[in-house]
Amino acid sequence: MQHPAAPTAGRDPRLDFFRGLALVMIFINHVPGNMMEGVTSKNFGFSDAAEAFVLMSGMSAGLAYSNVYARDRINAVARILRRAGRLYSVHLLTTVLAVIVLMAGHNFLGTTALSERVNMVSYLEAPWTTALGVLGMTHQLGYFNILPLYMLLLAATPVFLALASRNRVLLLAVSVSIWAIAGWNNINLPNFPTDGTWFLNPFSWQLIYCIGLCAGISAKKGETFVGYSPALMAVAIAYLGFAMFVIQGQHYDLTAWGDHPALLVGFEKGILPLPRLMHILALAYVISQIAVFRTIAGSAKLDVVSLLGKQGLAVFAWGSLVCISLQVLREAYAFSPAVDIATLIAGLAIQYAVAQRLQTAKVAVKNQARMV
């Protein structure tokens, strides 16, 4: 077994690389039925790219805000809330544009079934109350659930940091308690004007965000969040292997658990049950401890993936719009294998072009600031 990755100074290349990889997989998974869907992470374990994205979002928040919070809490809270406000604005804009795309498909291409699947019918039946729901984030289109969750968790980050500043174990204890109580008692935020609750329960998903936040705080302090242990590594690898065996062999039935607590043995994504939580944590532990992953992430040949991770918000927003456009087209027309692959490549190329342009502008601003 390889030695654990040694900590190094400077920005950890793994965060950008694996965030970029998660965004690629989210994009592919959000175009259901395409030829590449079978090779994404959801086919090899209990968790998928969404858990990875939220975990790394917590890490990023810990790295970005923990030191600022320790020095100047008011400034840190203001920065966090400004960022949350930006996420909210992006969510509203992408939702409006997605509705326009879906409406065009519904009215001109006959994509009625898609409208029903992605929760767009209420825009037709009750447009004004649905608009209020969008503003309050209580109405979410299918495949547009992650940004509202992320925004809410980011807005709550000052509270998380306040607990972590006292003791990170305290934060994790509170977070685990909220996760357990919410999952056991089906506590969730309501939808409006439609029935039901949020697809990704924020009371459940805050746990994985807080774990990432603690890891980011530790990294910022130059500490190790969870140290290397041969026994823990063996357990993590064994669990990942077990999960792959179960998923690849389809040796499970999501409806066969009867009265067993879904939080502990189920696979329902919305409540982040224990099997999914353990899987993403095991995967994160293996990646963080084996040195070859740092080497891969830092490879210049894979900069294209890291660039997507550096501009994650813009990439996710554009990717979401491309995804919903492809869903409309795939609903209306039959895609050949060649067209299927070509459209996915084109969608990824659009996201890369956006990321490249923004990164170039960011570097230019930094260089200009140095010259002043």
Side-chain angles (χ1 to χ4, degrees):
M1 187 175 294
Q2 299 189 44
H3 293 291
T8 59
R11 187 180 181 93
D12 191 328
R14 290 172 297 184
L15 187 58
D16 290 330
F17 175 79
F18 284 104
R19 181 164 48 199
L21 190 60
L23 287 168
V24 170
M25 288 189 287
I26 288 173
F27 170 73
I28 293 172
N29 289 336
H30 283 192
V31 187
N34 71 78
M35 294 182 63
M36 297 299 296
E37 194 177 12
V39 300
T40 58
S41 61
K42 69 176 184 177
N43 300 284
F44 302 95
F46 300 141
S47 67
D48 62 26
E51 282 94 344
F53 180 82
V54 174
L55 179 67
M56 288 184 283
S57 295
M59 292 179 185
S60 296
L63 289 166
Y65 303 120
S66 57
N67 279 3
V68 180
Y69 185 85
R71 294 193 306 267
D72 185 348
R73 294 192 175 188
I74 294 177
N75 180 43
V77 171
R79 285 180 56 182
I80 292 169
L81 294 181
R82 280 197 300 270
R83 179 65 174 175
R86 186 181 180 193
L87 292 175
Y88 180 70
S89 300
V90 171
H91 171 65
L92 290 184
L93 178 60
T94 53
T95 297
V96 169
L97 294 175
V99 169
I100 292 172
V101 171
L102 288 166
M103 285 289 190
H106 185 93
N107 291 318
F108 301 113
L109 298 177
T111 57
T112 306
L114 175 63
S115 299
E116 294 174 353
R117 289 200 302 272
V118 299
N119 200 24
M120 205 273 291
V121 174
S122 65
Y123 288 90
L124 302 170
E125 298 176 344
W128 293 110
T129 52
T130 301
L132 289 176
V134 171
L135 290 174
M137 297 190 303
T138 58
H139 185 281
Q140 300 164 13
L141 289 172
Y143 304 99
F144 284 75
N145 320 104
I146 295 180
L147 275 186
L149 171 70
Y150 182 19
M151 195 225 75
L152 200 61
L153 295 177
L154 188 60
T157 296
V159 177
F160 299 150
L161 288 174
L163 291 171
S165 66
R166 291 178 176 272
N167 192 313
R168 272 166 268 170
V169 175
L170 173 63
L171 171 60
L172 292 177
V174 171
S175 182
V176 169
S177 298
I178 294 171
W179 169 82
I181 293 170
W184 202 271
N185 297 285
N186 296 315
I187 299 173
N188 197 351
L189 294 181
N191 288 337
F192 172 83
T194 55
D195 296 330
T197 55
W198 281 32
F199 174 64
L200 299 176
N201 187 339
F203 298 111
S204 301
W205 282 68
Q206 55 77 32
L207 175 55
I208 195 168
Y209 180 86
C210 286
I211 292 171
L213 185 71
C214 288
I217 294 171
S218 297
K220 195 68 175 178
K221 292 178 177 291
E223 302 170 356
T224 300
F225 181 53
V226 180
Y228 178 77
S229 163
L232 187 56
M233 177 64 73
V235 170
I237 292 175
Y239 187 75
L240 293 176
F242 166 73
M244 183 183 297
F245 168 77
V246 170
I247 295 296
Q248 283 287 299
Q250 298 183 355
H251 300 294
Y252 69 102
D253 181 357
L254 301 184
T255 64
W257 293 101
D259 295 328
H260 291 80
L263 183 67
L264 301 181
V265 298
F267 296 90
E268 182 188 343
K269 183 175 181 176
I271 64 171
L272 189 65
L274 190 60
R276 295 183 72 106
L277 176 63
M278 289 175 59
H279 184 264
I280 188 58
L281 295 181
L283 184 61
Y285 182 75
V286 170
I287 290 174
S288 69
Q289 297 298 327
I290 296 181
V292 68
F293 290 110
R294 182 186 288 272
T295 302
I296 292 172
S299 171
K301 296 179 180 178
L302 296 173
D303 277 349
V304 59
V305 179
S306 298
L307 180 60
L308 297 177
K310 290 176 181 177
Q311 299 295 336
L313 178 58
V315 167
F316 181 81
W318 279 89
S320 296
L321 294 175
V322 173
C323 286
I324 207 67
S325 300
L326 289 180
Q327 286 194 46
V328 168
L329 292 174
R330 290 174 65 91
E331 186 78 9
Y333 305 104
F335 276 27
S336 68
V339 173
D340 194 8
I341 295 297
T343 52
L344 289 175
I345 292 174
L348 291 170
I350 290 171
Q351 294 170 76
Y352 175 74
V354 169
Q356 187 177 49
R357 181 163 185 171
L358 290 175
Q359 189 68 19
T360 300
K362 182 179 179 180
V363 171
V365 169
K366 285 185 176 181
N367 290 337
Q368 186 176 11
R370 292 193 187 101
M371 296 173 62
V372 174

